[in-house]
Amino acid sequence: MLPTLRPVTRAGEATNEGSSESTPSVAPSPLARQSDASAGEPARRVSDATVSRLPVYLQGLVSLAGEGAASVSSESLADLSAVNPATLRRDLAGIGITGTRGVGYDVKYLVHEISVVLGLNQEWPVIIVGVGNLGRALANYEGLATQGFPVQALVDIDSSIVGSAVAGVVVEHFDDISAVVAREAISVGVIATPAAAAQEAAQHLIDAGLASLLNFTPVPVVVPDHVQVRGVDLATELQILSFYQQRSTAAARGTGLPLGTP
Amino acid sequence: MLPTLRPVTRAGEATNEGSSESTPSVAPSPLARQSDASAGEPARRVSDATVSRLPVYLQGLVSLAGEGAASVSSESLADLSAVNPATLRRDLAGIGITGTRGVGYDVKYLVHEISVVLGLNQEWPVIIVGVGNLGRALANYEGLATQGFPVQALVDIDSSIVGSAVAGVVVEHFDDISAVVAREAISVGVIATPAAAAQEAAQHLIDAGLASLLNFTPVPVVVPDHVQVRGVDLATELQILSFYQQRSTAAARGTGLPLGTP
DNA sequence: GCGTGTGAACTCATTCACAGCC
DNA sequence: GGCTGTGAATGAGTTCACACGC
């Protein structure tokens, strides 16, 4: 289940802002077993849209499995996942999963295959940059570790914090990011800094060799193509909701602007 | 070091910069004026994709305004927002915002217009369903109120919690949702319950008349067409990152080359 | 019969490229 | 000259509809 993380590359250098293009040498990951089906196939191109729905399917499937369901139809699972059944079938076909005509999909098989495709059969150690309120909350959130994303490093620029322990992890200095990432075989970088520092944090994480970032600030960070960033920002979400809320209330007011008239 | 979101200039709050624009003061009743200045036009259909980018633009603009910039080119703002310049221009044109050829867009005007379009010139009171760890953290997060989303109600099913105060708000019983929503003129419902209760919470919020939900659980909630739901789930985001992480490490191993190949 | 797998049509979004205006 | 505004091309994703296998 969990491959051991062994310090491989011991990078002692503290990138002092000077090293421009640094060594992307970090190859932290424990082995990633590709979808076990047939090995020799060319890499399937799974679309981003599909990938973003897989966790949703998985959620529903786990719930179904808990109820003892042995198989599901695309329609049932689609309902649970709030998507169109055809989309669900396309997605599954796209990752090489096949069902049985007239019957449906095998729940256990689906759970396993999706887990493998998502890479959930291994651990992805996480570093959190910025140990403020949010950073601390995340570090203390057990959900991370239980889902396979153990928080194994914390860094901050504030030297009055460095050295203290949060959730059993000692806070290290931001400047030592590269060394820390290498030492702990980190795979995912979480940006929990003030917004103004987000880009710099991202840059250092990338320089340290990371290719997966989770950004909690409201500012988008600019990254090279090979790096994936996901943003999670409360204010952004609320502002989007605000738009639709305003639109619907405006419509409800009935200001001569008919709303749902197709 | 919480994710400091600076007080987004609520329309009406004068950010004392140039006095060029006539910042209309907050009207007694904050009417939701549709984007477009010339009344009578049929409601523009702003695409979902555009709406989701507006908060990002706004973020960059507020930052630019803070630096004293008077105008921006689509290219500059697009860089800040990590989008294509043409997309930015299309988005702005779509909400009726026009720039000046050869010059760019007026920063203050843009900030104001986008704020109005998003509905940020008024407050949207929030109810939080589920006063556990997450619910409490959200209730205590000042960012919500300063961004125009004051938490004015908390409900839970656990009667041992009901009656206590969190962040100055008394927790009421889940069964009284409808009354609470009406009394406090709530606009946005936040689901911070355990995953298993998400759908029921959503249903009650919708029954109470809400059309904007923010779901912090990993399970998608099924809602009628007129209701907008945004999901914010850490596990989902991490699982998506996990996929790309796995893919990139697999690719790196396959080629034996570092990711960037010239 | 039932439900998957997929051709085909359709809708929507992104991006180029350039004409038009300052 | 610089930068906006937008037709047109490209591409991605969704959904219908139905043939095929159980």
Side-chain angles (χ1 to χ4, degrees):
Chain A
M1 193 63 140
L2 60 103
T4 24
L5 355 128
R6 196 98 302 171
V8 225
T9 345
R10 181 67 165 97
E13 61 160 18
T15 49
N16 194 8
E17 181 90 319
S19 61
S20 53
E21 264 299 330
S22 72
T23 62
S25 61
V26 172
S29 54
L31 288 188
R33 180 171 62 102
Q34 188 60 291
S35 168
D36 56 344
S38 39
E41 274 183 35
R44 305 174 196 281
R45 240 324 176 263
V46 184
S47 83
D48 291 349
T50 295
V51 174
S52 71
R53 282 186 294 263
L54 292 181
V56 179
Y57 301 153
L58 186 56
Q59 177 70 34
L61 286 164
V62 168
S63 154
L64 284 171
E67 296 168 3
S71 72
V72 222
S73 68
S74 63
E75 190 176 357
S76 312
L77 185 52
D79 282 351
L80 275 182
S81 310
V83 301
N84 183 291
T87 298
L88 172 54
R89 294 197 295 272
R90 271 250 139 78
D91 284 339
L92 294 182
I95 60 175
I97 292 179
T98 175
T100 308
R101 299 184 191 214
V103 179
Y105 297 88
D106 184 84
V107 173
K108 285 199 62 176
Y109 175 65
L110 230 53
V111 168
H112 177 257
E113 282 304 305
I114 294 181
S115 295
V116 169
V117 170
L118 286 176
L120 303 182
N121 53 341
Q122 59 191 291
E123 296 210 324
W124 303 105
V126 167
I127 185 173
I128 298 178
V129 182
V131 191
N133 285 337
L134 177 57
R136 246 185 299 266
L138 291 170
N140 281 304
Y141 176 50
E142 320 80 39
L144 281 172
T146 61
Q147 297 260 342
F149 300 90
V151 177
Q152 289 187 346
L154 303 172
V155 298
D156 202 299
I157 14 156
D158 187 344
S159 40
S160 72
I161 300 179
V162 172
S164 64
V166 175
V169 178
V170 175
V171 180
E172 304 186 62
H173 198 280
F174 178 72
D175 291 343
D176 298 329
I177 271 191
S178 281
V180 173
V181 164
R183 188 191 68 220
E184 300 290 339
I186 301 292
S187 292
V188 178
V190 171
I191 302 172
T193 65
Q199 181 62 50
E200 191 188 357
Q203 195 52 57
H204 281 74
L205 289 168
I206 294 167
D207 288 346
L210 294 187
S212 299
L213 306 183
L214 191 53
N215 178 15
F216 281 91
T217 80
V219 308
V221 294
V222 181
V223 300
D225 280 351
H226 73 279
V227 177
Q228 286 288 329
V229 193
R230 305 282 306 177
V232 180
D233 179 59
L234 187 55
T236 303
E237 296 301 320
L238 284 170
Q239 289 176 7
I240 294 171
L241 277 180
S242 172
F243 172 87
Y244 291 108
Q245 177 66 31
Q246 175 175 254
R247 178 198 267 171
S248 71
T249 43
R253 190 173 302 115
T255 50
L257 297 180
L259 157 80
T261 42
Chain B
M1 305 299 176
L2 46 143
T4 56
L5 322 172
R6 87 195 42 86
V8 165
T9 51
R10 196 79 41 76
E13 299 179 357
T15 44
N16 10 357
E17 291 292 335
S19 57
S20 56
E21 261 296 329
S22 65
T23 46
S25 60
V26 169
S29 69
L31 282 191
R33 176 169 67 101
Q34 188 58 296
S35 64
D36 143 70
S38 55
E41 250 180 57
R44 303 175 194 283
R45 241 327 177 256
V46 184
S47 83
D48 291 350
T50 294
V51 173
S52 71
R53 281 186 296 262
L54 292 181
V56 179
Y57 301 153
L58 186 56
Q59 176 70 33
L61 287 164
V62 168
S63 155
L64 284 171
E67 296 169 2
S71 71
V72 223
S73 68
S74 63
E75 190 177 356
S76 311
L77 185 52
D79 283 350
L80 275 182
S81 310
V83 302
N84 182 291
T87 298
L88 171 54
R89 294 198 294 273
R90 268 253 140 76
D91 284 340
L92 294 182
I95 60 176
I97 290 179
T98 175
T100 308
R101 298 181 194 222
V103 179
Y105 298 87
D106 184 85
V107 173
K108 286 202 62 177
Y109 174 66
L110 230 54
V111 169
H112 177 257
E113 283 302 307
I114 294 181
S115 295
V116 169
V117 169
L118 286 176
L120 304 182
N121 54 339
Q122 60 190 292
E123 296 210 325
W124 302 105
V126 167
I127 185 174
I128 297 177
V129 182
V131 192
N133 285 338
L134 176 58
R136 245 186 299 267
L138 290 170
N140 282 305
Y141 177 49
E142 321 81 37
L144 281 173
T146 61
Q147 298 258 340
F149 300 90
V151 177
Q152 289 186 347
L154 303 171
V155 297
D156 203 299
I157 16 157
D158 186 345
S159 41
S160 73
I161 300 181
V162 172
S164 65
V166 175
V169 178
V170 175
V171 180
E172 303 185 63
H173 198 279
F174 178 72
D175 291 343
D176 299 329
I177 272 193
S178 281
V180 175
V181 164
R183 187 189 71 218
E184 302 288 341
I186 301 292
S187 292
V188 177
V190 171
I191 302 172
T193 64
Q199 182 62 49
E200 190 187 358
Q203 195 52 57
H204 281 74
L205 289 168
I206 294 167
D207 289 346
L210 294 187
S212 300
L213 305 184
L214 191 53
N215 179 16
F216 280 90
T217 79
V219 308
V221 294
V222 181
V223 300
D225 281 349
H226 73 280
V227 176
Q228 286 288 328
V229 193
R230 305 280 306 176
V232 180
D233 179 59
L234 188 53
T236 303
E237 296 300 322
L238 284 170
Q239 289 176 8
I240 293 171
L241 278 180
S242 171
F243 172 87
Y244 291 108
Q245 176 68 30
Q246 174 175 256
R247 177 198 269 172
S248 71
T249 45
R253 182 175 49 260
T255 61
L257 288 177
L259 301 171
T261 42

